[in-house]
Amino acid sequence: MQAKYLQKAVLLLTLSLNNLAFANTMTYAGAGVDIHTADRLVDKIRPMCAATNRPGCLKAEIGNYGSLFSLNEAGANIKDPILVSGTDGVGTKLLLAQKIGKHNTIGIDLVAMSVNDVLTRGAQPLYFLDYFASGKLEVNDAAAVVEGIANGCKQAGCGLIGGETAEMPGMYGPGVYDLAGFAVGVVSKSDILPRKVNDGDVLIGLASTGLHSNGFSLVRKVLEKSKLSLDSKPPFNSEQATMGDVLLTPTRIYVSTVKPMLDQRLIEAMAHITGSGMPGNLPRVYGEDLVASIDVKTWEVPAVFKWVAQAGPVASNEMFNTFNCGIGMILIVKKQNVDKVLKQLATTDVKAYKIGVMRKRDGAEAQVEFNGDLFA
């Protein structure tokens, strides 16, 4: 009998020691990563992603190791299809979204930066994938970001078919997250842009919605110097209530605006005006023997750019080398097609302007020239 009680006592002591040992072990959650939080996010964003499904998305269900897309089922009917890919982020505009706590539009910027690039090759965006990284995953904030991404995908007509969420304590501070994404589109080999741009071709500028997603490191310094907060009323005429609203205006997505003209082969080249502005982006689509001659008085400049230029102050050449200055996409078309293109653009909600012409380059002059002072 005593031996039986002794065995039972030894068993209880062993269990107690085991429990004590497990109590002192480390866990992933204890290190700051809770995989169950990520599972809750997946449940929340699943219907958002499903709402972007388009022909070609195969079994578009979040959680698979690889996302599937069928060109045959995409309905593109493209002869000799070429895949076009683009990747980007949204820069320090993220810091403003996080400071304000407005997370549901920054995803539109993320999609826009990639699909607009893909569009310049004449391609139709097919699908998009995102990467979201944070120190601690906040489900509601992350879901709001994905809501914006899904919105952007709908605007671009592409499916949000996958992504990755990474929780990295120590890499990012509280409330901080980072975003990246990439888009894949398709174009017939014979329709790849740019085609040959020639002397006399015409530049048509498509209006931006404002700053889009470039130059925010400079904008934040101007904001700080001007003693304005993100909650301040804009010191210029604006339909938006606060500076935060103005600065977080999403990047315009040009896919639906431009696609009909691409289908009609009315466009010879396109330039997405992002970081480095017109001087850095336009020469990427034509030869070194040409100059884009631009009349800066041909389009309406959003007030936010004039504010940056004056409040900095920021010189005109720096403005043009940093920002889109009101023109987010430039189409280069043959002279005989200008009226037809402008007529079609007039039926869209995007303002279009004939802003200049291509001419022969003389020696080593700059490949983009500005006639007039936009901020005078």
Side-chain angles (χ1 to χ4, degrees):
M1 182 67 72
Q2 287 180 344
K4 183 176 180 181
Y5 283 126
L6 182 60
Q7 289 176 347
K8 187 174 181 179
V10 169
L11 177 60
L12 290 174
L13 179 60
T14 301
L15 290 174
S16 298
L17 290 174
N18 285 340
N19 288 337
L20 181 61
F22 281 120
N24 292 326
T25 59
M26 292 185 176
T27 65
Y28 207 9
V33 180
D34 187 349
I35 59 175
H36 300 298
T37 302
D39 292 339
R40 292 196 298 274
L41 175 61
V42 169
D43 291 339
K44 199 159 189 171
I45 66 176
R46 182 175 282 113
M48 302 177 193
C49 299
T52 70
N53 284 354
R54 52 152 292 155
C57 295
L58 298 181
K59 298 181 179 178
E61 175 67 23
I62 296 178
N64 293 317
Y65 286 106
S67 303
L68 307 177
F69 191 93
S70 168
L71 283 175
N72 287 335
E73 295 183 18
N77 296 320
I78 291 179
K79 182 180 179 180
D80 198 3
I82 301 296
L83 294 179
V84 182
S85 57
T87 184
D88 212 335
V90 293
T92 60
K93 189 174 185 177
L94 275 175
L95 296 177
L96 302 185
Q98 291 163 16
K99 188 171 183 178
I100 296 172
K102 183 179 181 181
H103 309 288
N104 64 343
T105 61
I106 202 74
I108 300 174
D109 293 287
L110 182 68
V111 175
M113 296 304 288
S114 288
V115 298
N116 285 341
D117 279 356
V118 166
L119 182 66
T120 66
R121 303 311 306 269
Q124 169 192 346
L126 297 174
Y127 60 84
F128 188 86
L129 287 89
D130 69 279
Y131 174 77
F132 180 100
S134 64
K136 178 176 174 56
L137 184 59
E138 301 292 343
V139 172
N140 290 337
D141 292 350
V145 171
V146 175
E147 177 188 349
I149 295 172
N151 187 347
C153 286
K154 290 177 186 177
Q155 292 182 38
C158 63
L160 177 55
I161 63 173
E164 172 67 9
T165 300
E167 195 171 10
M168 296 183 284
M171 180 70 75
Y172 299 98
V176 176
Y177 58 82
D178 199 6
L179 284 177
F182 76 87
V184 174
V186 65
V187 62
S188 173
K189 189 173 183 178
S190 62
D191 291 332
I192 293 174
L193 297 183
R195 286 187 274 271
K196 175 66 175 172
V197 176
N198 297 299
D199 180 19
D201 287 348
V202 176
L203 302 162
I204 296 176
L206 304 184
S208 69
T209 54
L211 294 164
H212 282 185
S213 297
N214 299 103
F216 275 85
S217 293
L218 176 56
V219 170
R220 290 186 295 109
K221 284 187 173 296
V222 173
L223 188 71
E224 181 181 359
K225 181 186 175 185
S226 66
K227 307 299 183 183
L228 292 173
S229 73
L230 294 172
D231 294 327
S232 297
K233 181 177 176 59
F236 47 83
N237 291 333
S238 174
E239 295 179 357
Q240 291 156 304
T242 68
M243 283 300 296
D245 294 330
V246 172
L247 300 181
L248 285 181
T249 301
T251 304
R252 173 165 272 150
I253 293 174
Y254 294 96
V255 176
S256 62
T257 301
V258 172
K259 187 176 183 302
M261 284 157 282
L262 288 174
D263 292 342
Q264 298 168 65
R265 297 177 64 87
L266 294 174
I267 300 172
E268 304 305 308
M270 297 173 60
H272 183 201
I273 310 305
T274 55
S276 73
M278 295 183 196
N281 286 284
L282 261 174
R284 297 165 68 177
V285 300
Y286 55 80
E288 294 184 359
D289 60 328
L290 293 172
V291 171
S293 181
I294 296 172
D295 181 353
V296 302
K297 297 299 184 181
T298 53
W299 71 88
E300 298 176 30
V301 183
V304 65
F305 293 107
K306 295 181 178 180
W307 168 75
V308 170
Q310 294 168 4
V314 180
S316 292
N317 66 327
E318 184 71 15
M319 291 294 298
F320 275 118
N321 280 288
T322 306
F323 303 106
N324 67 66
C325 295
I327 299 295
M329 184 76 75
I330 295 178
L331 317 180
I332 303 180
V333 303
K334 293 186 179 301
K335 189 174 182 179
Q336 62 266 30
N337 291 330
V338 171
D339 290 341
K340 190 172 184 179
V341 168
L342 288 174
K343 186 176 181 180
Q344 291 193 36
L345 289 170
T347 66
T348 73
D349 60 354
V350 179
K351 291 183 179 180
Y353 310 92
K354 181 179 173 180
I355 66 172
V357 295
M358 301 301 303
R359 66 165 179 81
K360 287 289 186 181
R361 188 182 185 197
D362 182 12
E365 63 180 323
Q367 283 195 273
V368 178
E369 70 171 8
F370 297 104
N371 301 300
D373 190 343
L374 189 64
F375 301 101

